[in-house]
Amino acid sequence: MRVILTGGGTGGHIYPALAIAEQFKEQGIKAEFLYIGGKRGLETRIVPETKMRFETIDITGFRRRLFSLENIKTINRFIQGVKISKKLIREFKPDIVIGTGGYVCGPVVYAAAKLGIPTMVHEQNAIPGLTNLFLSGYADTVAVSFEEAISKFKRAKHVLFTGNPRATMVQHADRERGLASLGLPGDAKVVLMVGGSRGARALVEAMVQAAPLLKPKPDVHYVFVTGEIYYDEIYERIDQATDSMPNYLHVLPYIPNMPEVLAATSLVIGRAGASSLAEITSLGTPSLLIPSPNVTNNHQEANALALRKAGAAEMILERELSGETLIAHIDKIMDHEEERQRMSEAASTLGTPQSAFLLVEEIQRICGASAVTQ
């Protein structure tokens, strides 16, 4: 099978695409992949590391001011992107083209549909992005991570709830290796607060405020992940605020083996990106979510609300975040084992560990049912 993957801008669009490719390998399905990304997104760093063939097109999103020079340039980039995509598609001769979100999906999936190639788009968030809404009228299948998103795709031929394929990737994560990588004993309870791979200023400031308020609890260790850009500054400030770092607090710049650490975590605190939520629900990990207000359509808040409604998470809006509110929520969850267990069970009901399998199954169905026209 020959597959074109496209998705870009952020890891939330890129990693699901790579998870689909990994599932082909896991199931022993022989496939050749071409990844088409944008020239400016994280995919330019992440995808080449996989050794997958990688091509780029120049594409940007629309500005809020409709009649502007930048929007005219965006239209021209879309037209050129469609032309380049058609050339790559004719050359590669894919059986299917799969888009996982981001501006780059627009011209690639649209070009494939116009050439009669089977297509699928995957929407990670509870509130769909504009690109996927546009493409839903052309794709053979729209796969969604949140059941709430199904009703949003009114133009789609077929909508399927699959969950997020990142959920599948964490299923075999080793808890003991996660604890060992942190230098913690096997009976440790980990409270993990993550500021994101690039850091998030509001979250790391809350870490500094919360650090001197943390109370020692039996077997509980707090792990604060600042992001590399903030690490030196935040470590020094926390060290000063606590009058030397307590042995139950661990401040790190990043975690390279996040699935294993998540498997060892009793409570995770962080943003509400779709891929992260897919991982923690797959593992049944309780969460305290602080959605980013700086995302399209405020979709992280919608993601967080879906988990809170199910009883799997609590939420703090960024404008309400402080060291005191953070500690109050942590204590409420960590001091009540029954509450934490209830949250864990609720998270597990939302998890879709079979997601990548369902997506590959749908890909095979589409390809088997469609005539491929070059």
Side-chain angles (χ1 to χ4, degrees), residues 172-187 257 259-265:
H172 304 296
D174 190 316
R175 178 182 184 275
E176 292 183 1
R177 288 179 62 178
L179 289 171
S181 71
L182 296 172
L184 299 181
D187 60 351
N257 60 327
E260 291 176 339
V261 171
L262 283 174
T265 296

Side-chain angles (χ1 to χ4, degrees), residues 17 137 236 269 292 318:
E236 183 177 352
I269 305 164
S292 171
E318 188 174 291

